[in-house]
Amino acid sequence: MSTTHPVRCIFTKASSPCRQSLRRTFHTSNPLHARPSPKHKSIKASDLGLVESKKNSKKVRAEDLRPYSETEKAALAKRYTPAQLAAIEAGEAAVDPEDLVQQGAARQDYMQLNYLDDLSTIHPVIDKPVRAPEENYDPNLRFKTEDELAEDLTNWIKDEMPDDPERLDYMKFLDNTRVTVGKPEAELNPRSYVAPEIPKLKILKRGFSDDEEVDPATRRLMRQTGFSLVEIRRFRVKQLVSHRVVNQTRLGKIQSVYNLAVAGNGKGLIGIGEGKSAEDEAARIQAKNAAIRNMQPIPMYEGRTIFGDVKGKVSATEVELMTRPPGKDVFFQLKTQGLMVTLGFGVRCQSLIFEICRCAGIQDLAARVTRSRNHMNTVKATIQALLSQRLPEEVARARGRKLVDVRKVYYGGNV
């Protein structure tokens, strides 16, 4: 037996790399090697034509700015008078084409604007306000008295008024006459420290007019919601449940009518309301006003369906709402004329959920009601399910993933 064998074994173990067992930490996400590759490749903005290359941009030359042709002059003569056409031609002849090429062309450097603007108008919100110099301020500025204005009019009549005055001469006198005493710059270009006025949007008046007779209940509803009478009349209201109820008291059984109504505008607003009264008409009005008062917006994908599958449960009633793809337009050729028909999924569910979807504006939906099918609980569970939708943005933010990944994975590619 060789005595060098134990020594060689010792040096071999010492020179061999140390292998440690790496333990994978626990995480809810899959490891990198197990994650599926993206189905769609990343698309650059330059491939879509959203970014225009500065090198390929066409430069305007002086030869391209040619005068009007006879055809163009004939077209302009239909809109302008001969004097206006002569002024236009004189103005264009006075401008050198080289100046238009250098100053009138769009900038191609890194300081260029991302939008078209001739910079001829000062926007009070975006642009820096142009203020007059402080030398224009006059602390002794005052308005002229009536005697001073009458003296100016008398001097104009004596010295400057023509022999046959016209209305235009008097208007020129009013424009050129000063109404203050002090520096002329203080009146023509005053110094002001007040910020320019922000443009205001035209606000439509919501409410009711005093001339139109409105019942007190509708008037109170308009004050609470802010909707006008026209908007309230345009809402789609449907009575879903109506039956008689009995309240046992010491005086006996008191009967009343119960109503459950749904209201919506067909664009994402939906609400339900309950009403109970001794009269059927009073209960119906109470349910309608309560439904309009309780309207809430629901999220809708493409304005036609919901985001994913949702569930709602009220008491022993369970409702499951499922999203569905849109329909397709199919053209049928008949003997006399063609017919365009939309073949799609539509709203396939029971009548109560169908009326709710109709008021909300949902066009593609499937629903399933399990266990109890009580009408009142079915309506409440459907509204609960519509309001409990999870938007793809919320799911993406919670899981730290991209929006496109969430929409393709968690919703099966249906959104």
Side-chain angles (χ1 to χ4, degrees):
M1 180 177 180
S2 176
T3 57
T4 61
H5 180 70
V7 179
R8 185 172 67 250
C9 294
I10 293 174
F11 283 105
T12 302
K13 292 182 180 180
S15 61
S16 62
C18 180
R19 296 182 180 180
Q20 299 180 358
S21 59
L22 298 178
R23 183 179 180 183
R24 179 174 175 268
T25 59
F26 176 76
H27 200 273
T28 56
S29 302
N30 295 331
L32 294 177
H33 65 274
R35 297 181 184 178
S37 58
K39 184 178 180 181
H40 305 282
K41 296 182 179 180
S42 301
I43 302 177
K44 299 182 179 179
S46 57
D47 300 340
L48 298 177
L50 301 178
V51 179
E52 184 180 3
S53 178
K54 300 180 180 179
K55 298 181 180 180
N56 300 332
S57 59
K58 182 180 178 181
K59 296 183 178 180
V60 182
R61 298 175 299 177
E63 294 79 7
D64 299 336
L65 304 175
R66 58 183 184 276
Y68 288 120
S69 61
E70 298 297 333
T71 306
E72 295 173 346
K73 291 182 179 180
L76 293 175
K78 298 180 181 179
R79 187 171 183 179
Y80 300 100
T81 61
Q84 292 175 342
L85 284 177
I88 293 175
E89 293 178 357
E92 292 192 355
V95 178
D96 189 6
E98 295 293 341
D99 296 341
L100 291 178
V101 172
Q102 297 178 1
Q103 303 179 8
R107 301 179 59 171
Q108 300 296 334
D109 52 0
Y110 67 95
M111 295 293 293
Q112 65 177 349
L113 300 177
N114 296 329
Y115 54 91
L116 296 178
D117 193 354
D118 56 354
L119 305 178
S120 61
T121 305
I122 296 178
H123 299 279
V125 180
I126 303 175
D127 300 332
K128 181 180 179 180
V130 179
R131 302 183 184 274
E134 296 185 2
E135 292 78 9
N136 293 2
Y137 175 72
D138 187 4
N140 301 323
L141 186 69
R142 65 174 179 83
F143 287 99
K144 288 184 177 180
T145 61
E146 295 182 0
D147 298 337
E148 293 174 343
L149 293 176
E151 184 180 357
D152 293 341
L153 179 60
T154 304
N155 296 335
W156 177 74
I157 294 175
K158 290 181 180 180
D159 303 335
E160 301 180 6
M161 188 178 71
D163 298 336
D164 189 9
E166 298 180 355
R167 185 179 180 183
L168 182 61
D169 299 331
Y170 182 69
M171 295 177 63
K172 289 181 178 179
F173 163 72
L174 295 179
D175 293 339
N176 299 329
T177 302
R178 293 185 54 193
V179 295
T180 60
V181 176
K183 290 184 179 180
E185 297 83 1
E187 179 182 350
L188 301 177
N189 189 16
R191 172 70 178 185
S192 176
Y193 295 94
V194 181
E197 183 180 1
I198 299 177
K200 299 180 180 179
L201 299 177
K202 183 179 179 181
I203 301 176
L204 299 178
K205 185 177 180 181
R206 302 168 67 99
F208 55 89
S209 58
D210 298 335
D211 301 336
E212 189 173 1
E213 295 183 0
V214 184
D215 58 292
T218 306
R219 188 180 295 268
R220 191 183 310 110
L221 177 64
M222 295 163 64
R223 290 197 184 99
Q224 293 174 349
T225 59
F227 295 118
S228 62
L229 184 60
V230 179
E231 293 174 335
I232 292 178
R233 290 175 178 175
R234 288 180 180 176
F235 289 146
R236 181 184 294 275
V237 182
K238 183 67 175 179
Q239 181 179 339
L240 301 179
V241 181
S242 178
H243 56 78
R244 287 191 170 272
V245 294
V246 178
N247 184 21
Q248 181 67 43
T249 64
R250 63 184 182 85
L251 300 178
K253 296 182 179 179
I254 299 178
Q255 296 186 359
S256 57
V257 181
Y258 171 84
N259 272 276
L260 177 63
V262 60
N265 63 344
K267 299 179 181 179
L269 279 180
I270 192 67
I272 58 174
E274 298 175 310
K276 186 168 63 172
S277 177
E279 300 294 335
D280 190 9
E281 184 67 16
R284 186 184 62 82
I285 295 176
Q286 289 182 14
K288 170 188 173 182
N289 295 343
I292 297 176
R293 192 182 302 110
N294 298 333
M295 283 197 305
Q296 301 180 26
I298 59 173
M300 296 173 57
Y301 176 71
E302 294 182 349
R304 59 172 186 83
T305 185
I306 61 177
F307 287 89
D309 301 344
V310 291
K311 295 181 180 181
K313 183 179 183 299
V314 174
S315 187
T317 303
E318 295 182 358
V319 176
E320 182 179 0
L321 306 180
M322 295 157 285
T323 180
R324 287 296 178 263
K328 298 181 180 179
D329 294 337
V330 181
F331 182 80
F332 292 94
Q333 183 66 35
L334 304 179
K335 294 182 180 180
T336 56
Q337 59 183 357
L339 179 62
M340 183 66 71
V341 180
T342 302
L343 298 179
F345 194 87
V347 181
R348 302 186 186 181
C349 53
Q350 60 160 286
S351 59
L352 298 176
I353 304 179
F354 177 82
E355 294 296 342
I356 295 176
C357 296
R358 190 179 180 185
C359 294
I362 299 176
Q363 304 173 5
D364 302 303
L365 186 78
R368 182 186 296 111
V369 181
T370 58
R371 297 182 63 187
S372 174
R373 299 190 178 184
N374 181 272
H375 291 180
M376 183 176 61
N377 294 339
T378 300
V379 174
K380 294 181 180 180
T382 304
I383 298 297
Q384 178 185 351
L386 291 176
L387 295 176
S388 63
Q389 300 182 52
R390 294 189 64 188
L391 298 179
E393 291 83 359
E394 298 177 358
V395 180
R397 191 182 304 110
R399 304 214 173 190
R401 304 190 62 180
K402 294 183 180 179
L403 177 62
V404 64
D405 292 341
V406 175
R407 290 160 68 94
K408 292 296 182 183
V409 176
Y410 292 96
Y411 292 97
N414 295 327
V415 297

